[in-house]
Amino acid sequence: MDYKEVIAFLYSQLPVFHREGKKAFKPGLGNIQQLCDRLGNPQNSFKALHIAGTNGKGSSSHFMASILQEHGFRVGLYTSPHLKSFTERIKLNGENVAEEWVVQFVEKNLQLIQDIKPSFFEWTVLMAFSYFKEQGVDWAVIETGLGGRLDSTNIIHPQACLITNISWDHQDILGDTLEQIAGEKAGIIKQGVPICISERQSFSEGIFLKKAEEMHAPIVFAEDKIQWTSHANVQEQLYLQGKNSLNNYFEISSPYAGEYQIKNIAGILAWCEQIQELDIIPLQWDKILKGIENSKTNTQLRGRWEILQKNPWIVADTGHNESGITQLLAQVKQQNHGQLWIILGMVADKDIHLVLKLFPKDAKYIFCQAQNPRALSGETLQKMAQEHELEGICELDVNKAIKKAKQKAKENDFILITGSTYLVAEINV
């Protein structure tokens, strides 16, 4: 098989969450434990940092990997889902795993697929662990997929953990209250392993404190260590000034200009301080800041307030749930622009109305549909949007939608593409 045939084989043979939703989710760690046992438990061959959360865990994972790269470590990075290529999920010092390696791994381990019948996500986790072992990484930064407690990545024994924002998402799997969702994320907290919380939220604070106490895990909240004094968006970058727990003032810039990154960066800086204080990794403050500043170059993260064009501005962002969209729209509101155009597509298993009620009524909408089995039809989305007085046209293909918006928009207008990772992934840029 060649690479395309291998990926097609995996999609056809294994339950794939990003295509099938809940029915592809296999709760429990039994499958991944069997898989790893059969391959000599590769997850025990490297040191790991584990990251969970609703929003921000992808950005935080990339920030942390970049920081470790700036310190000269050989760094593995596992994240999901991917935007353009499956190989984005598994990186070594910012470079995607080679397609040839993916082919060889699958062909060599076909019997495992037949014997255990894992989910697509379980298989990709096994691939990442195996690749990191083979490549002899010094550190692996591992992002959870769904939740934490029953997530396949949760068989690792990390040196430190981070939990980012908690918000509404995947209620059909994680629970229908924010407290239940937080409890699932708290499942990555392990015996004696330090945990940092990026955002103190009233409904989750007690849950994290209780779990950390049960596990005798040192816990810190980012806002107790990092205080911001100012922030600004200048020339497509986010500039921050603040002070750390030693009352040392610092300045930092992020190549990702989304203001939601402010909390993510605070979480990463506080986590780095905790890691330093506990002598887990000998991090240096200047290299920590440099790691964040160079993160786009070092790790190639895309789809976070990604500026595709100016005059008119065209920005793509993978925001797709209540918290993510709220923060995204708040930033759009701060932009000095004329007419707002929103190109919107969503997946059907989200709480659509919860998100739609957040969008401005004075924007002009183009409703799309990603080429994904989970995608909500553009026509249905348009009808649901009308219930919230959101008016527009339907153009299923996101690239045709962008073309239409560009034809109608004036130079000072603003075009936002959002609502689904899979929609953003189909943009041809």
Side-chain angles (χ1 to χ4, degrees), residues 35-55:
L35 290 167
C36 287
D37 282 345
R38 289 277 291 270
L39 293 190
N41 288 304
Q43 76 278 12
N44 296 334
S45 67
F46 50 81
K47 296 177 182 176
L49 301 174
H50 205 190
I51 301 178
T54 304
N55 298 303

Side-chain angles (χ1 to χ4, degrees), residues 67-132:
I67 288 167
L68 295 174
Q69 286 172 227
E70 289 292 339
H71 283 80
F73 292 114
R74 190 169 173 81
V75 184
L77 174 62
Y78 175 73
T79 58
S80 63
H82 59 271
L83 271 185
K84 295 292 186 182
S85 169
F86 170 82
T87 58
E88 295 168 26
R89 294 173 179 240
I90 304 170
K91 296 186 178 186
L92 175 66
N93 280 4
E95 295 292 326
N96 295 358
V97 62
E99 293 180 355
E100 295 79 9
W101 189 91
V102 173
V103 172
Q104 291 169 8
F105 182 85
V106 172
E107 289 185 334
K108 190 167 75 172
N109 294 289
L110 282 174
Q111 191 64 45
L112 264 183
I113 292 177
Q114 295 170 7
D115 292 349
I116 297 175
K117 297 179 174 58
S119 70
F120 184 85
F121 185 76
E122 289 166 337
W123 186 255
T124 61
V125 169
L126 175 69
M127 288 178 69
F129 292 167
S130 300
Y131 185 66
F132 296 156

Side-chain angles (χ1 to χ4, degrees), residues 121-158:
F121 185 76
E122 289 166 337
W123 186 255
T124 61
V125 169
L126 175 69
M127 288 178 69
F129 292 167
S130 300
Y131 185 66
F132 296 156
K133 176 183 179 180
E134 183 181 303
Q135 295 296 321
V137 302
D138 300 311
W139 287 94
V141 179
I142 308 293
E143 177 198 16
T144 59
L146 280 174
R149 182 175 64 93
L150 299 177
D151 188 78
S152 298
T153 64
N154 207 29
I155 64 166
I156 63 173
H157 299 282

Side-chain angles (χ1 to χ4, degrees), residues 164-167 178 197 199-206 208 221 223 263 323:
T164 62
N165 160 282
I166 304 298
S167 184
L178 289 171
I197 310 297
E199 185 177 348
R200 178 179 268 121
Q201 297 170 282
S202 58
F203 60 84
S204 62
E205 180 178 6
F208 295 145
F221 289 82
E223 67 182 59
K263 290 178 180 176
S323 177

Side-chain angles (χ1 to χ4, degrees), residues 225-249:
K225 283 185 167 289
I226 304 297
Q227 276 80 49
W228 299 120
T229 55
S230 70
H231 72 273
N233 278 290
V234 182
Q235 295 180 340
E236 304 169 36
Q237 290 206 323
L238 179 64
Y239 287 87
L240 301 166
Q241 292 182 319
K243 63 177 182 177
N244 60 20
S245 60
L246 298 175
N247 281 322
N248 292 328
Y249 285 86

